[in-house]
Amino acid sequence: FASCKYNLRASKVVIIFNTKNMENKKRTIVCGLRSGSNGTIAKALNCSLSMVSLSLNGHKDTDMAKRIRYVAATQYGGKVVEI
């Protein structure tokens, strides 16, 4: 969503937001998981680690992503948050 441009002479960072894809979309994320839970969830549901990561961070909204969020919240102690 954001890209950074570095200005070495002024030593400041300028962040440019891509507003095309950020039109008041609500994301559902799962937070509060322990370290290593992503790999365990990926093995349990037979999917890739990147699919689990994208689902928990709200970038995917497929049936599999909803299943991953549900399992993370019920079996691994995660908290579902809508932002």
Side-chain angles (χ1 to χ4, degrees), residues 1-82:
F1 290 163
S3 61
C4 294
K5 290 188 177 181
Y6 296 100
N7 187 347
L8 298 176
R9 291 184 182 158
S11 34
K12 66 179 180 179
V13 177
V14 178
I15 299 175
I16 300 171
F17 286 99
N18 184 2
T19 56
K20 218 185 316 182
N21 296 329
M22 297 177 64
E23 298 172 355
N24 295 329
K25 285 188 177 180
K26 291 200 173 199
R27 292 186 352 192
T28 303
I29 64 169
V30 178
C31 58
L33 293 174
R34 285 189 220 143
S35 178
S37 296
N38 288 4
T40 310
I41 293 169
K43 284 182 184 176
L45 295 177
N46 196 21
C47 63
S48 66
L49 190 61
S50 62
M51 178 65 181
V52 174
S53 179
L54 289 171
S55 300
L56 295 179
N57 290 321
H59 294 290
K60 292 275 188 183
D61 197 28
T62 61
D63 289 335
M64 185 63 156
K66 292 175 186 173
R67 192 176 309 140
I68 290 169
R69 285 192 289 269
Y70 176 77
V71 168
T74 57
Q75 296 181 7
Y76 294 96
K79 305 236 186 301
V80 178
V81 179
E82 288 191 18

